[in-house]
Amino acid sequence: MVTETEGRRRRSPRRAAQPKEQVLAAAMEMIAERGLDRLTMAALGREVGMSSGHLVYYFKTKDELLLQTLQWSEEQLGAERRAALARRIPARERLDALVELYLPHGHRDPHWALWLEVWNRSQSGDDEVRSRQLELELSWHRDLVALLVEGMAQGEFAPVDADRFATRTRALLDGFGTHLVVGLPGVDRALALSHVRDHFDESLTPGEG
């Protein structure tokens, strides 16, 4: 008899992935199911049937494993983002969809928990590590700028400096996102979304900016 967990794992894309991608998918799955504190090289090795030495061959250190897992997770999220932005709907609706994808779903959201851990560990990292982290940020920034420019060109948005507005918007989202993922009392996803939508209404509504 196949259990529900076994069935889910057999359907998981990581089973058909290349070995390294399989490890990254498994790491993200473990974070989602058990929490970041339970992700160790030994536990991950048992999950994917590899020795710790094999994992060290791929990643060298746990910091590198976490960063590559975050990059892999961002690639999956980026595909969702690009699909949402490609829809033939008003720019404002796509902007709201981007925000929905950006913000964590709540306390201990696995993607955001990983994001915070990687950023915390990067304090002792080198410039190359920080450059890779910056590229993750810039992928969101570029898409947001492009959407703002499109919305202004179509007359849906009031004129703004797209680059500056995108920078401030991401700072707002990062602030709320951090509060949500750590479970700060008095902050929930609905409240965060409401504040962000007010920000857009006040700044982007034509004739009111």
Side-chain angles (χ1 to χ4, degrees), residues 19-173:
K20 187 174 183 180
E21 184 179 354
Q22 177 185 339
V23 172
L24 297 173
M28 197 67 226
E29 189 174 293
M30 288 180 65
I31 293 170
E33 293 182 352
R34 309 175 200 177
L36 186 60
D37 56 334
R38 302 289 295 276
L39 178 64
T40 64
M41 286 289 202
L44 180 58
R46 289 192 295 270
E47 181 72 12
V48 298
M50 292 184 182
S51 67
S52 297
H54 202 166
L55 292 178
V56 170
Y57 169 78
Y58 278 133
F59 305 105
K60 307 303 182 187
T61 65
K62 185 175 181 180
D63 284 1
E64 180 63 20
L65 167 66
L66 294 176
L67 177 53
Q68 288 196 34
T69 302
L70 180 61
Q71 290 175 308
W72 180 87
S73 179
E74 280 285 348
E75 288 174 5
Q76 316 311 305
L77 194 55
E80 292 185 54
R81 184 176 73 247
R82 289 187 292 274
L85 294 178
R87 295 177 62 196
R88 295 182 179 277
I89 57 177
R92 175 55 193 271
E93 292 183 29
R94 284 178 281 152
L95 183 59
D96 289 340
L98 184 148
V99 170
E100 291 271 0
L101 287 170
Y102 195 106
L103 286 176
H105 288 280
H107 184 210
R108 302 189 72 178
D109 177 284
H111 179 86
W112 268 76
L114 177 58
W115 183 89
L116 287 177
E117 181 69 13
V118 168
W119 254 245
N120 182 54
R121 288 170 175 260
S122 70
Q123 294 179 84
S124 58
D126 56 24
D127 289 343
E128 190 269 339
V129 166
R130 281 186 282 272
S131 292
R132 290 161 65 192
Q133 292 173 270
L134 177 61
E135 184 55 35
L136 299 180
E137 294 287 308
L138 290 179
S139 65
W140 287 92
H141 185 85
R142 286 189 291 262
D143 284 347
L144 179 53
V145 168
L147 182 57
L148 291 168
V149 170
E150 179 186 341
M152 287 187 285
Q154 295 175 347
E156 290 188 49
F157 297 154
V160 295
D161 182 320
D163 187 71
R164 287 172 62 84
F165 188 87
T167 297
R168 292 171 178 175
T169 297
R170 289 191 304 108
L172 178 68
L173 294 173

